[in-house]
Amino acid sequence: MRWYWKAIGPKKIIEFLVLVVFVIFFLGPLLNLAILAFTGNWKYPEAFPHEWSLKWWRFVLQQEDIAKSIGLSFLIATIVTAISILICVPAAYAFARIRFPLSRFFLFSFLLTNAFPKMGLYVSIAVLFYKLGLMNTLAGVVLIHIVNVLMYMTWIPTASFRNVHTAQEESARDVGASPFRVFRSITLPLAMPGILVASIFTFLNSLDEAQGTFLVGIPNFKTMPVIMYSIISDYPAYAGAVFSIILTLPTIILLLAAKRFVSADVLSSGFQFK
Amino acid sequence: MDIQLSIQKLTKRYKTGDGVSDISLDVQKGELITLLGPSGCGKTTVLRSIGGFLEPDSGDILIENKSVLKAPPEKRPTAMVFQSYNLWPHMTVFDNLAFGLKIRKMKKSEIDQAISEVLKLIRLSGSEQKFPGQLSGGQQQRVAVARALLLKPAVLLLDEPFSALDAKLRHEMREELREIQSNTGLTMVFVTHDQEEALSISDRIVVMNKGHIEQVASPQEIYDEPKTLFAAQFIGKMNFLKGVVTNGRVMIAQLAFPNSKNLSGNVTLAIRPEDVQLFDGEEAGLPGTIKHIMVLGHYAEVSIDLQGHGIIRSFRPRDQVNDLRTGQHVKVNFAKTLVFPTV
Ligand SMILES: Nc1ncnc2c1ncn2[C@@H]1O[C@H](COP(=O)(O)OP(=O)(O)O)[C@@H](O)[C@H]1O
Ligand SMILES: [Mg+2]
């Protein structure tokens, strides 16, 4: 054992152990889910099912309310992402370029939406929504999702815009580009990695949001995470597994896509006040 | 000669009170004029006003006899090279160069032709498909210059374009720019805080200080006949001695110097180190003691303590210092002196 320790070095071995732990904790449940989701017939003491099938997939997708919730979740996530891009990206540009006295205060105020226990915030929002007639409406659900993501959606692009130097924009004006053309051809593409990362965060956050949706959207707007609760209690675990995979898959796909754009830089600079 | 650029009574004050006032300057066609001054004296403010990135409070800027004040940067016949971050890192060198030409709706074949010519000029042929991040700092600045050249501007503006580069490269780039200038006959306004750079590349130098112009003249004239004390101390090496005018003559101790400006009272004499002469005989001169002798290649710098009149430096050819020793008593006289009122 000792020669082994010496030959490979403690650093490598610790790295390996960390990896093992990571695999057990992260991939283990996923693997278990995958097995459950494709099970046809499984007698308990056996390690693996002796029959594989897609029947639980068929079952889940045939439940009308489940299928509906999947569609709804993606619809809401898309709307939330689109609207928050429209609101937050221009705001981020303003924060990055214009020094107005309250800009720090505004940027910090977004932190508040993420600093307190969510339920308290949601309840007070719900009270407001009652008065405005936004309970049990699509607009209400979308709004509550947007509240959640304002912070990422503003901070990260703000940092990206700050990383675009004024000389780069001015050079473009100088060679003949209008201010709009400069924004489209220079500023926006240079800030795009940050905006993309923030948008993916937003999309995933919306797909995942249960508490606020539950409070504001019931009974007509049951998204995937909301309906998940009833699936776990009302259906066999196999159906739950299929459903979890449907819920997790977009996360994995989008995160892998995001990895291309995420440099530690973009992420960390999103949380600095310059 | 045609006046290509005319700045008339330009004033720009920032909210902080800094800025420039009453700047007037005519630049000839084909001239390379340098704005020289310490950091913060307002060089960039003037240049950005010409380029359209700053709106002056008052005054006018004419290019080829037409006021350009109303035009935004993209409509002005100027091109600017900044100190850094000129290039767009998400575009290839080709796209960086072509961006402005495409906006001008130039034909594809003409763009290709123009870019390959300009890349040859800056000795970067074959770099079309590289990204700015793959180029060295000097190469990036050359691409920025090339991009500006492609626009065929009436006036090329350069704001300390080489100051981020190391000394050797800075030297090369100066020569290259000068060569490009003589090949193209382009009118250039070059900003620098480096007096050596200004002396080496300019047709004329504009010495600026605290938001105003101190002197406009050729490098030689600025060096030989600085008009103000500031210009005298900012350009080249200079010694300063206190003197006083008695009976119309500038006196240091018993020695008299010409009073070319007919000053009176306390004055400051400025003497270039190469004009400080040393004697060891009975000639007239200020008595002094040699403090240091530093041999710097082909010449030597000799510091002399003038016994109550301060320390003065003299540049001597190397063969003239062989028989000098530290501590030796000498007489000092000046081949040429400039006199300024003491402020
Ligand atoms: N946007 C600005 N707001 C306030 N003051 C400025 C601004 N830009 C420059 N200044 C000040 O104006 C003065 C001249 O600046 P600048 O033209 O950049 O000088 P230089 O290029 O010679 O270093 C400096 O004191 C500088 O601090
Ligand atoms: Mg400057």
Side-chain angles (χ1 to χ4, degrees), chain A residues 3-78:
Chain A
W3 68 266
Y4 189 73
W5 184 263
K6 275 198 185 126
I8 298 186
K11 199 167 157 251
K12 277 269 155 56
I13 291 177
I14 289 169
E15 265 173 23
F16 178 73
L17 288 179
V18 168
L19 188 70
V20 167
V21 170
F22 174 77
V23 166
I24 291 171
F25 275 85
F26 181 71
L27 287 183
L30 274 183
L31 193 67
N32 185 40
L33 269 184
I35 293 173
L36 278 177
F38 293 99
T39 293
N41 205 339
W42 191 359
K43 299 232 175 52
Y44 196 57
E46 288 170 31
F48 289 100
H50 63 256
E51 195 185 304
W52 300 93
S53 96
L54 286 176
K55 71 175 177 190
W56 291 110
W57 287 84
R58 238 173 281 126
F59 173 79
V60 164
L61 294 175
Q62 271 164 9
Q63 302 294 311
E64 203 184 319
D65 53 342
I66 295 184
K68 224 178 87 187
S69 80
I70 296 172
L72 184 66
S73 271
F74 280 91
L75 175 71
I76 290 176
T78 309

Side-chain angles (χ1 to χ4, degrees), chain B residues 164-278:
Chain B
L165 309 176
D166 65 54
K168 186 161 171 288
L169 195 55
R170 212 153 57 217
H171 239 93
E172 286 172 27
M173 298 285 286
R174 275 177 214 162
E175 279 168 26
E176 260 178 57
L177 185 73
R178 193 67 238 205
E179 204 176 303
I180 287 171
Q181 203 258 348
S182 52
N183 288 343
T184 56
L186 210 58
T187 311
M188 296 188 187
V189 182
F190 187 95
V191 161
T192 182
H193 64 265
D194 179 346
Q195 45 105 8
E196 193 190 318
E197 187 164 77
L199 289 171
S200 67
I201 65 168
S202 319
D203 292 318
R204 278 191 304 158
I205 295 175
V206 179
V207 182
M208 288 183 67
N209 180 30
K210 293 186 182 146
H212 66 267
I213 293 180
E214 296 262 336
Q215 184 172 12
V216 184
S218 70
Q220 201 56 51
E221 194 181 338
I222 295 233
Y223 190 84
D224 292 339
E225 304 289 337
K227 231 165 74 182
T228 63
L229 195 58
F230 175 83
Q233 70 177 28
F234 194 74
I235 286 106
K237 299 244 167 55
M238 192 67 97
N239 294 294
F240 294 99
L241 295 178
K242 288 198 178 66
V244 66
V245 179
T246 42
N247 300 329
R249 303 214 296 167
V250 175
M251 307 294 294
I252 302 177
Q254 263 52 263
L255 220 55
F257 298 97
N259 186 1
S260 50
K261 292 178 195 157
N262 284 318
L263 299 173
S264 58
N266 289 327
V267 294
T268 302
L269 283 96
I271 307 115
R272 296 272 177 216
E274 59 268 31
D275 294 331
V276 177
Q277 301 162 330
L278 307 180

